[in-house]
Amino acid sequence: MPASELSVRPLTVADMTRFIEVDNIAFIEGPYSPDLVAWQRRFLEVERSIGLFDDEEQVGGATIFTMRLSVPDGRLVPLAGVSWVSVLPTHRRRGGLTKLMRHQLHDLHDRQAEPLAGLTASHPGIYGRFGYGRPTQSVTLTVPREHNTLRLPQGVDDVTLRLVSPKAGLEACRETYARRLTSRPGMIDRPDFWFDFETDDLDQLRGGQSKLRLVLAEREGVTVGYAMYRTNELGPAKGEVRVNDVYAVDPAAYAALWRMLLNIDLTIATVVPGLAVDDPLLAMLEASRYGEPALRDGLYVRLVDVDRALAARTYATPIDVVFEVTDEFCPWNAGRWRLVGDEKGATCTRTDSTADISIDVRELASIYLGGVTLRSLAAANQVTEHTIGSVRAASTAFASDVQPWLSTGF
């Protein structure tokens, strides 16, 4: 008997327990208690959740978090934060993921909702075929205690550190993060519930690590930074520090927090799972090579509507370029678009003019936050220049003076 056709439809409140169960199975996570399921449901936007169905059985799903993304000029652009994407192992290779992705993107376009979608990927090869580019990367470090010497800026000793309960310091964390939000493209305007999500600190989600610790950095009684971390005991006097978040409003406060995190007694190393590739810590470490820095992919971005997305940010230098865009998955984006802009604003409109550059929507998404350059993509033969000099000019206009970085996984 042939397999039935899989279908996608919006979920209701009654569907959400099964939605969580399916995601748990797909991502081979541990058994979830009813209390944990109820806790997770608090953070899911039911009205933005969809399910994949085999007749009446829910066999997959996806949701969207309502977010905003920082772009190179410091603006915040609405972002559909795609998450909880799953298909049961019994229903793989039947086009289910494609149906989920198509439903989300077409719905965003039809409703003229967010001009961008974004996600983090469990595997880097999955989402390119749906037009998602990779505009951010991060650096992971494991810094040994014997190689943790920092080159410290002035003013570090004027900063005091205070250990507080995560809930007690919640508002200070919110305020500090908000002050840093537009300092780097790729950072996410965390939804209202996000700090609650991080600081609830459920036993079942610790994975054998310590309770969450929160340290506030203060100067003259005013919060100027914070760090969240856990410890993990590897053996007698052989602990490991695992850093969650470090944010500060100035270099001295940032350095003071890292000096503490790299020097906690009875530990042998500090694990930093994701820094911007030009993070100040890399410059402060006298011997960063011993942290064995490794690149990881970060945020994947999809331009839902090319015109709205490109007009939503400004450009470092004046730009007037015609892109010939290919987009098999969202055909409304295919064709020629003229982008005209500068540091004050931009427009992007349909045109019949000759193309200066041919580019797939995936590569257009990769350059959107200014870290990946058009010139590097041209060197890899991933874009085609038709007008001499157009790639160099557009590459300069799109660029950011700091590397983009995803500040929040989702």
Side-chain angles (χ1 to χ4, degrees), residues 6 22 26 52 59-61 85-92 96-97 100:
L6 301 180
V22 167
L52 181 69
V59 298
V85 181
S86 60
V87 177
L88 288 180
T90 52
H91 288 73
R92 295 179 66 244
L97 178 59
L100 290 167

Side-chain angles (χ1 to χ4, degrees), residues 30-163:
Y32 278 9
S33 68
D35 287 345
L36 187 55
V37 170
W39 176 79
Q40 290 181 308
R41 285 178 61 176
R42 290 169 44 202
F43 306 111
L44 293 169
E45 298 180 43
V46 178
E47 68 279 5
R48 308 205 74 178
S49 301
I50 55 176
L52 181 69
F53 287 84
D54 184 351
D55 291 330
E56 295 304 311
E57 181 189 9
Q58 189 182 156
V59 298
T63 194
I64 286 174
F65 291 115
T66 302
M67 296 176 157
R68 293 186 298 170
L69 175 70
S70 177
V71 296
D73 58 10
R75 297 187 185 191
L76 293 171
V77 177
L79 176 79
V82 176
S83 190
W84 290 64
V85 181
S86 60
V87 177
L88 288 180
T90 52
H91 288 73
R92 295 179 66 244
R93 310 295 184 189
R94 290 175 56 181
L97 178 59
T98 300
K99 289 177 183 289
L100 290 167
M101 293 291 101
R102 180 171 285 115
H103 187 283
Q104 280 187 329
L105 293 170
H106 282 240
D107 181 63
L108 290 169
H109 168 71
D110 291 344
R111 293 189 297 106
Q112 291 290 279
E114 292 95 336
L116 300 171
L119 53 79
T120 57
S122 57
H123 188 281
I126 295 175
Y127 291 98
R129 67 183 186 272
F130 306 125
Y132 281 88
R134 188 179 61 202
T136 80
Q137 290 183 305
S138 65
V139 176
T140 63
L141 293 173
T142 300
V143 182
R145 282 289 298 274
E146 64 267 28
H147 297 296
N148 64 0
T149 303
L150 294 175
R151 184 179 179 185
L152 297 171
Q154 290 184 344
V156 172
D157 292 332
D158 297 329
V159 178
T160 59
L161 303 181
R162 186 162 59 96
L163 188 66

Side-chain angles (χ1 to χ4, degrees), residues 9 63 81 95 121 135 158 173 209 233 265 277 305 324 340 366 385:
R9 63 174 182 262
T63 194
D158 297 329
C173 293
Q209 299 178 53
E233 188 174 0
D265 287 341
V277 298
D305 293 303
E324 177 84 46
V340 179
S366 293
E385 181 180 65

Side-chain angles (χ1 to χ4, degrees), residues 378-397:
N381 199 34
Q382 293 176 0
V383 300
T384 302
E385 181 180 65
H386 304 293
T387 303
I388 295 175
S390 59
V391 163
R392 178 188 289 270
S395 192
T396 302

Side-chain angles (χ1 to χ4, degrees), residues 89-385:
T90 52
H91 288 73
R92 295 179 66 244
R93 310 295 184 189
R94 290 175 56 181
L97 178 59
T98 300
K99 289 177 183 289
L100 290 167
M101 293 291 101
R102 180 171 285 115
H103 187 283
Q104 280 187 329
L105 293 170
H106 282 240
D107 181 63
L108 290 169
H109 168 71
D110 291 344
R111 293 189 297 106
Q112 291 290 279
E114 292 95 336
L116 300 171
L119 53 79
T120 57
S122 57
H123 188 281
I126 295 175
Y127 291 98
R129 67 183 186 272
F130 306 125
Y132 281 88
R134 188 179 61 202
T136 80
Q137 290 183 305
S138 65
V139 176
T140 63
L141 293 173
T142 300
V143 182
R145 282 289 298 274
E146 64 267 28
H147 297 296
N148 64 0
T149 303
L150 294 175
R151 184 179 179 185
L152 297 171
Q154 290 184 344
V156 172
D157 292 332
D158 297 329
V159 178
T160 59
L161 303 181
R162 186 162 59 96
L163 188 66
V164 302
S165 73
K167 291 301 183 187
L170 198 58
E171 193 55 38
C173 293
R174 292 184 196 273
E175 292 174 0
T176 303
Y177 185 84
R179 291 177 65 179
R180 298 301 299 159
L181 176 59
T182 58
S183 65
R184 186 181 290 276
M187 294 184 69
I188 300 292
D189 182 14
R190 293 172 172 175
D192 288 341
F193 66 79
W194 208 262
F195 283 97
D196 293 320
F197 179 86
E198 287 191 325
T199 57
D200 280 348
D201 197 24
L202 276 66
D203 290 342
Q204 297 170 68
L205 299 181
R206 289 180 189 157
Q209 299 178 53
S210 74
K211 292 181 178 181
L212 184 68
R213 311 295 183 189
L214 171 61
V215 175
L216 297 182
E218 297 172 331
R219 185 183 294 111
E220 298 180 351
V222 177
T223 300
V224 290
Y226 74 90
M228 292 187 188
Y229 73 95
R230 301 179 190 273
T231 53
N232 187 23
E233 188 174 0
L234 305 178
K238 291 185 178 180
E240 184 179 75
V241 180
R242 300 195 66 90
V243 179
N244 288 26
D245 272 348
V246 185
Y247 292 100
V249 301
D250 57 57
Y254 195 64
L257 288 164
W258 279 113
R259 180 171 64 177
M260 183 215 70
L261 292 167
L262 297 174
N263 284 281
I264 292 178
D265 287 341
L266 305 181
T267 65
I268 59 173
T270 299
V271 179
V272 187
L275 292 170
V277 298
D278 58 349
D279 190 277
L281 176 62
L282 296 167
M284 286 191 290
L285 278 167
E286 292 282 15
S288 60
R289 71 169 71 174
Y290 293 109
E292 299 184 351
L295 283 177
R296 291 182 60 89
D297 49 304
L299 178 68
Y300 287 75
V301 166
R302 215 300 176 182
L303 308 191
V304 177
D305 293 303
V306 164
D307 53 342
R308 293 194 298 136
L310 294 184
R313 55 156 294 182
T314 61
Y315 296 86
T317 57
I319 185 172
D320 187 346
V321 65
V322 175
F323 288 114
E324 177 84 46
V325 178
T326 55
D327 190 344
E328 295 182 1
F329 202 68
C330 296
W332 58 83
N333 285 324
R336 294 177 190 168
W337 297 94
R338 184 183 182 191
L339 173 63
V340 179
D342 54 24
E343 73 282 359
K344 296 179 181 178
T347 61
C348 185
T349 55
R350 288 277 185 190
T351 183
D352 293 326
S353 299
T354 302
D356 299 306
I357 298 169
S358 292
I359 188 169
D360 188 75
V361 73
R362 177 180 179 180
E363 277 64 56
L364 200 54
S366 293
I367 67 171
Y368 187 76
L369 294 179
V372 177
T373 67
L374 262 176
R375 293 186 70 184
S376 68
L377 296 181
N381 199 34
Q382 293 176 0
V383 300
T384 302
E385 181 180 65

